[in-house]
Amino acid sequence: MENDVTTAAATTDYQISGDGYLLIGWCALTLLFCLPGNTLVLVASMKYKAIKLDKVATILIENIAVADICVALFTVLPRMISAIAEKWEYGCTVTSLATIIFPGVSIQLIVALNVSKLTCLLFPLRARTRTYTQGRIIAVSLWSGILLLVSVLEIVPFITLGEPLYGFYFDRHYLCDIDPQPEVRALFYCIIVLCSFIPMVVMIVTTIWLMVYVQKVRGLSKESVVTLIAISVVFFVSYIPISSKVIPGTFVSDRLEEIWNDPDTEYNAKVEKWNRLHERYYVKYYAFAYGVQYVNSLVNPIIYFFTVKSFQTFVVDLVRRVFGKSTHTRTIVALRK
């Protein structure tokens, strides 16, 4: 019986409704802006040195662009394809892990950016000695830390339960009265706290601190401070809905438990009720929450355009060159040097 329930949950098809078309359109729009925009950021920074901030900040911004591209490829694209196909083509585990890894890396990078800029403002003499190598070491450490935590999140439950935690939660926890072992549940929440809660608190504190300093700095320092404040605020706002998913999730989990433990309800009726409840709360709420979350990935290049003058000059001159109207033919070459 339990295996039948698991199979039904894993193979459930979702009919495209008005909300589905809206989700598909929003995912397509996100891909349209996110992939070219963040690719342009990487090309402008790595090849033409067109993002003129301090060296550590430049490397971290490049890695944020990489994380945003990964969000588009491994979260937005699978979600759009699944919505079009009317079923989860890539499985819940893939998209769930992607929503932890890449946003987790993004928030860690933003925190590192804020802390780095604050130390530059507090200790200006030390800021002059910073190198690209230091920025790369910080970025590699953050990527490695998130990947290690996610690996632990999957390996430990696999050893203790015989299956990964996300497969366990999707296929069984929300469908039956079976819960993971207390140690595994504690591990899950500890990793969520390390990857999301603590970095979010640090990001809020450092952003407020930067808002205080923005009135006291001038030139490139003010430019970079304004950039970091904008990045942090957009990230925080875009992740509020998905961070609040526990609210509908708690209600749905309790209701599903009642459904599957009801001895008077036949199996087919249970599946029908599960589908109806899943569509009403999970699908619609998560579509909205993830849609808002995607704003972060597509907006960052726009933020750089309006807050980083060297990047704005690069983009404007590139557009002029593409349309044969450039009046500054040496701008890109000069930026590269």
Side-chain angles (χ1 to χ4, degrees), residues 211-280:
M211 288 179 177
V212 174
Y213 267 98
V214 73
Q215 304 296 331
K216 303 178 182 181
V217 295
R218 296 291 183 271
L220 289 178
S221 293
K222 184 169 185 176
E223 187 175 282
S224 59
V225 170
V226 172
T227 302
L228 298 187
I229 291 173
I231 293 173
S232 300
V233 170
V234 169
F235 185 93
F236 177 75
V237 172
S238 64
Y239 274 77
I240 288 177
I242 197 64
S243 300
S244 305
K245 64 183 179 181
V246 66
I247 298 174
T250 300
F251 169 78
V252 175
S253 297
D254 294 341
R255 185 71 185 97
L256 287 172
E257 185 174 346
E258 294 178 6
I259 292 174
W260 292 112
N261 290 335
D262 185 1
D264 299 327
T265 304
E266 296 182 355
Y267 171 75
N268 291 335
K270 290 181 179 181
V271 172
E272 183 179 353
K273 289 182 178 180
W274 185 91
N275 288 335
R276 190 162 55 247
L277 195 62
H278 186 277
E279 171 69 22
R280 184 181 303 172

Side-chain angles (χ1 to χ4, degrees), residues 11 60 62 74 140 200 208 212 226 254 259 288 299 311 319:
T11 58
L60 296 179
E62 291 172 1
F74 298 105
V140 170
M200 188 69 75
I208 295 173
V212 174
V226 172
D254 294 341
I259 292 174
F288 166 76
V299 164
F311 182 65
V319 171

